[in-house]
Amino acid sequence: MSDWTIKTKKRAKELKEQGFYNNWTKRNFGLITFFIYPDFQIDDEWFKKRLNIYKKNAKILGVKPPKVNFFVYPSIEIGKKIGIIPTICFIKMKEIHGHLNQSPGHELTHILVGKINNSKNLPGNGLWQEGLCTYLNGTKTNQKKHTLSLNFSEATLSTPWKKWRKHMPGNLYPLAGSIIQYLVKRYGWKKMILFLKKLKNSAENQDKISLDIFKKSLEEIQKDWSKWLKKD
């Protein structure tokens, strides 16, 4: 767990003990209970969009969506003022801290990925987890086009995927999303999910798992992805 995650988790716990969230507006939508920052108004469509994406992604991933508490801040800046980084998901606690302009499904998908695999095997800044959550973030962004528009260097694009497993910088999330986009397009959701499940027991042995499921090593698939990425 990264330092900023630990600090945010500790701060959220302190705020609860101090009763900070007691006067937040509570909106229960069944699977998701939203806690809204005081005197902050949000249109019902904002809540419904997140609920619908949560249900849709749960169906895609073949998991039963657990109930989630979602704390909503007006902006990143307000969150930071009180010591919270409102773009975070605590998988085991089934708790999200998000801001109004955050993508609808990214953090919610982290909860669902936690049902597929233990987060210890898919670290928070890892390629597979962040790629999946970026691809299913509910914005309908074409991650291939987005990646190309960012003009990443050839050195970045050719960095072996296994090196991104533990510490993937946030600016590379679109790249990770494009990898999931390619794998789903080439092999389908069934094999993609099976790959993630197998990592549950063997996170360090990704090549063997890739060969078993995709019939190619990750290095070979990366070369295929690179060709697909550059092809119109």
Side-chain angles (χ1 to χ4, degrees):
M1 189 180 291
S2 63
D3 289 342
W4 68 269
T5 301
I6 294 171
K7 289 179 181 178
T8 299
K9 187 176 183 180
K10 181 181 178 182
R11 180 57 176 159
K13 182 180 179 181
E14 291 173 348
L15 291 171
K16 287 177 186 175
E17 292 173 348
Q18 296 166 10
F20 180 77
Y21 297 106
N22 292 349
N23 65 336
W24 284 38
T25 303
K26 183 177 178 180
R27 298 288 305 276
N28 192 328
F29 285 79
L31 285 174
I32 308 176
T33 298
F34 294 94
F35 295 83
I36 303 100
Y37 190 83
D39 302 319
F40 184 51
Q41 300 298 318
I42 305 177
D43 187 275
D44 274 1
E45 288 303 312
W46 190 94
F47 301 111
K48 292 176 182 177
K49 186 173 184 179
R50 278 141 188 83
L51 179 63
N52 290 337
I53 288 170
Y54 189 48
K55 290 180 178 178
K56 179 182 177 181
N57 287 348
K59 189 173 182 179
I60 289 172
L61 298 175
V63 300
K64 183 179 179 181
K67 292 185 178 181
V68 179
N69 288 332
F70 196 132
F71 294 82
V72 188
Y73 301 78
S75 66
I76 294 176
E77 290 70 28
I78 288 178
K80 286 182 176 180
K81 282 182 180 179
I82 58 176
I84 291 286
I85 298 176
T87 50
I88 193 169
C89 168
F90 301 123
I91 296 174
K92 291 183 179 179
M93 295 166 58
K94 306 295 186 294
E95 180 174 305
I96 293 170
H97 290 260
H99 57 86
L100 187 67
N101 294 322
Q102 192 176 337
S103 65
H106 187 109
E107 299 302 332
L108 284 165
T109 304
H110 275 296
I111 297 288
L112 300 174
V113 176
K115 299 287 287 184
I116 293 175
N117 197 311
N118 190 313
S119 60
K120 290 181 180 179
N121 291 322
L122 294 175
N125 285 337
L127 167 65
W128 305 114
Q129 187 169 9
E130 295 302 346
L132 190 67
C133 293
T134 298
Y135 183 57
L136 294 176
N137 65 15
T139 63
K140 297 182 180 180
T141 300
N142 185 316
Q143 298 300 332
K144 175 182 178 179
K145 290 183 178 179
H146 190 187
T147 296
L148 290 173
S149 73
L150 296 174
N151 296 314
F152 289 120
S153 68
E154 187 59 37
T156 297
L157 295 176
S158 61
T159 300
W161 290 350
K162 285 181 285 187
K163 288 192 175 182
W164 294 125
R165 187 175 65 81
K166 291 184 178 179
H167 301 290
M168 171 166 266
N171 68 319
L172 292 181
Y173 283 14
L175 183 149
S178 75
I179 292 170
I180 301 299
Q181 182 180 348
Y182 170 74
L183 288 171
V184 170
K185 182 180 178 66
R186 175 66 180 83
Y187 299 101
W189 274 115
K190 187 175 180 179
K191 288 187 176 181
M192 181 73 249
I193 295 169
L194 182 60
F195 176 75
L196 294 171
K197 286 182 176 179
K198 290 291 184 179
L199 291 180
K200 183 173 183 178
N201 297 315
S202 189
E204 297 296 334
N205 200 5
Q206 297 178 70
D207 267 331
K208 183 180 183 303
I209 296 168
S210 179
L211 283 167
D212 288 344
I213 296 172
F214 303 127
K215 309 306 178 187
K216 287 187 176 185
S217 68
L218 285 182
E219 184 178 355
E220 290 175 306
I221 295 176
Q222 184 167 2
K223 289 178 181 177
D224 293 342
W225 162 80
S226 183
K227 292 176 183 176
W228 167 81
L229 189 67
K230 298 169 184 176
K231 186 178 180 181
D232 291 334

